[in-house]
Amino acid sequence: MPQNKTPQLKDPELYESLRDDGASAEKAARISNAAAREGRSAVGRRGGQAEDYEDRTVPELRERARELGISGISRLRKAELIRVLREH
């Protein structure tokens, strides 16, 4: 019996759509599973509280990267940190 490549996904269609739009695998899985659990419209209404990465300082960006478990950030410049955070 063939198994699904990523059996933990609850909404594979939304996952693939998010990946096609450029979201990371982790982010796409997180959003698709939340949408399956709570409904797509509920997931679309939440969020939007954080300030833009461009408005944050480099130490704040590094702290956020550490919170997300991203390594190799100590020598990155602000633009590079922002790119890494957005691609995570």
Side-chain angles (χ1 to χ4, degrees):
M1 175 179 212
Q3 289 188 351
N4 189 354
K5 221 170 34 172
T6 51
Q8 68 275 15
L9 293 176
K10 307 299 185 225
D11 190 340
E13 180 182 319
L14 180 57
Y15 172 84
E16 291 301 327
S17 173
L18 292 165
R19 289 292 287 150
D20 290 343
D21 289 341
S24 69
E26 181 181 346
K27 181 177 181 180
R30 191 171 51 243
I31 292 170
S32 69
N33 288 343
R37 183 176 55 251
E38 302 167 18
R40 288 185 181 188
S41 62
V43 171
R45 283 193 300 268
R46 62 181 159 143
Q49 302 298 319
E51 64 185 48
D52 290 332
Y53 284 142
E54 286 80 6
D55 296 337
R56 296 183 186 187
T57 65
V58 172
E60 290 172 334
L61 293 170
R62 285 189 179 132
E63 179 60 31
R64 180 63 181 143
R66 281 187 209 102
E67 289 171 3
L68 295 173
I70 301 171
S71 60
I73 57 168
S74 62
R75 294 187 179 208
L76 296 181
R77 294 178 182 210
K78 185 172 183 175
E80 295 166 325
L81 277 168
I82 291 171
R83 181 185 51 77
V84 168
L85 287 165
R86 286 191 173 141
E87 290 177 357
H88 176 70

